[in-house]
Amino acid sequence: MVGVEEEFFLVHPGSRSVEAAGAGVVARASPAMGNFVSGEFTRYQIETKTPPCSGAGELRSELVRMRADASTAARVEGLRLCASGTPVIGGGGPAVAGDHPRYRAAVDQYRSMLDDFAVSAFHTHVHLPDREVAVLVSNHLRPWLPLLVAMSANSPFHQGQDTGYASWRSVIRGRFPCLGPPPYAESLDDYERLARAMQESEAMLDAGLPYWDIRPNPRLPTLEIRCMDVLADVDDTVALTVLIRALVVTAAERVESGDPGPRMNSELLHAAYWRAARDGWPGSGVDALSGQILPAAVQARRLVDYVRPALEEHGDVEEAGSYLRRLAERGSGAERQRASAVSGRGLIGVVDDLLRLTAG
């Protein structure tokens, strides 16, 4: 089983700027969506969640339904949903944090580091109830995280500026000591000891709810992968989710055979993150299997080959193949945003195209 969380910015259709209206949109959407919609760290955002889904078709239907219900609520409030990793226009002042005790505690702890922390992601949950196994699976997934950053990159613009990066969201997150790739862990006890030490140092807010890019979810029997920018195209979200599920399934089989996972150097992993955030899909980065610097497209083909048995088991080979063909033809979300920007309408065109894609 898999599930997806998507975070969206709320945009005014006239100014195309983000609006601090999350609470109103959530209240409007809740009668139809219940607990599947909530606020996010800033009031510029909302988050939607799917129920657990057995396959790509069911997941696609649920994502379309959740986006439709949330879009309807936003429209009643005079706004639109925008799937971009960072605000294209607006949000220039300090981020307006949502009204939640955890958000207020984060502002108190991290202070001005959170002034521009308006970032939107999608998170994938893969059913994996054994937390010990989940931590060891994380070891196997760590080297692949930069490739997932590159494939999902969808935040080249930030508050009206071209950053020169494919995923500026990843750069914003990278300044925090508690975000990014998880540590290599020998066991669940090892993982939890480090999380507690991070909390005691005040680098991490809550050891029970770490913000690393892979984590055994503290409330659900899932492994959660969190490094991706939110994607505007539902088909891309579905395809990347089934690829991640295949990666988790493959890693779990290796753990069961006694393989605790490769010890990729943490400094090199952080460097690979940065390279993926800067260059995205058309660029090159550190290949997980060989350690070579290879184009992202070559790495992605290797990923599909690596997890092919798991893709075949779930009937997802064509889903993954179609995704790679789309990336080859029109690039990642970052490339599509930049193509919109040079179409003659500038950043207004970027936002308009994102609104259209988000609404499906």
Side-chain angles (χ1 to χ4, degrees):
M1 302 295 283
V2 294
V4 164
E5 300 169 352
E6 293 187 296
E7 299 163 3
F8 302 103
F9 288 110
L10 298 168
V11 169
H12 190 282
S15 67
R16 277 76 161 191
S17 177
V18 292
E19 295 277 329
V25 173
V26 169
R28 184 76 63 175
S30 291
M33 301 182 69
N35 292 331
F36 293 113
V37 64
S38 63
E40 245 304 310
F41 176 73
T42 75
R43 298 181 190 181
Y44 301 133
Q45 300 165 274
I46 65 168
E47 179 182 76
T48 65
K49 312 167 186 68
T50 71
C53 300
S54 60
E58 183 182 1
L59 178 61
R60 181 177 286 104
S61 296
E62 290 294 341
L63 286 169
V64 169
R65 181 169 69 90
M66 294 300 167
R67 287 192 182 198
D69 287 347
S71 292
T72 296
R75 284 179 176 273
V76 173
E77 295 291 311
L79 302 169
R80 304 290 186 271
L81 294 188
C82 184
S84 178
T86 48
V88 177
I89 299 175
V96 185
D99 186 20
H100 190 284
R102 188 168 72 250
Y103 301 155
R104 293 194 293 272
V107 171
D108 183 61
Q109 190 150 314
Y110 298 111
R111 304 168 194 178
S112 284
M113 287 180 73
L114 289 170
D115 281 355
D116 63 349
F117 195 73
V119 294
S120 288
F122 96 84
H123 300 164
T124 292
H125 291 257
V126 182
H127 181 68
L128 203 60
D130 188 318
R131 289 175 59 83
E132 185 79 40
V133 170
V135 165
L136 299 180
V137 165
S138 299
N139 292 341
H140 286 271
L141 267 57
R142 290 171 76 244
W144 294 102
L145 292 175
L147 177 60
L148 299 182
V149 170
M151 295 174 78
S152 68
N154 189 36
S155 51
F157 299 103
H158 184 237
Q159 299 176 358
Q161 299 294 322
D162 188 332
T163 65
Y165 281 70
S167 176
W168 191 247
R169 169 186 165 272
S170 296
V171 175
I172 291 174
R173 296 177 78 252
R175 72 175 68 135
F176 289 85
C178 60
L179 300 180
Y184 184 95
E186 301 283 354
S187 64
L188 178 60
D189 283 345
D190 185 30
Y191 176 92
E192 291 179 338
R193 275 196 302 272
L194 181 55
R196 287 194 296 271
M198 291 283 284
Q199 178 179 328
E200 289 168 5
S201 76
E202 298 190 6
M204 182 180 288
L205 192 64
D206 181 357
L209 194 69
Y211 287 111
W212 287 318
D213 283 345
I214 315 170
R215 70 181 184 193
N217 188 276
R219 295 183 297 272
L220 303 170
T222 65
L223 186 65
E224 186 179 0
I225 294 84
R226 305 160 44 82
C227 64
M228 296 83 68
D229 287 1
V230 67
L231 296 174
D233 189 326
V234 164
D235 287 339
D236 292 350
T237 302
V238 172
L240 196 49
T241 296
V242 300
L243 263 175
I244 290 169
R245 173 171 64 179
L247 189 54
V248 171
V249 169
T250 301
E253 291 172 353
R254 288 180 173 266
V255 169
E256 289 170 6
S257 70
D259 182 354
R263 289 180 176 271
M264 185 174 185
N265 180 277
S266 293
E267 292 300 314
L268 184 59
L269 183 55
H270 281 283
Y273 254 71
W274 171 80
R275 181 83 180 254
R278 188 190 70 176
D279 296 346
W281 175 254
S284 298
V286 180
D287 175 64
L289 296 180
S290 68
Q292 297 174 300
I293 304 298
L294 294 174
V298 173
Q299 294 182 57
R301 288 195 295 271
R302 289 189 174 192
L303 170 59
V304 170
D305 290 343
Y306 177 65
V307 302
R308 186 173 295 276
L311 290 172
E312 291 173 346
E313 177 185 345
H314 291 96
D316 292 330
V317 173
E318 179 54 30
E319 193 79 54
S322 295
Y323 181 40
L324 295 195
R325 289 192 291 274
R326 290 195 300 275
L327 284 168
E329 291 166 3
R330 46 82 165 152
S332 67
E335 290 176 275
R336 294 174 79 174
Q337 286 198 37
R338 287 200 170 102
S340 296
V342 300
S343 67
R345 294 178 296 141
L347 295 185
I348 294 294
V350 174
V351 176
D352 286 347
D353 287 344
L354 286 169
L355 299 183
R356 175 180 56 80
L357 284 167
T358 305

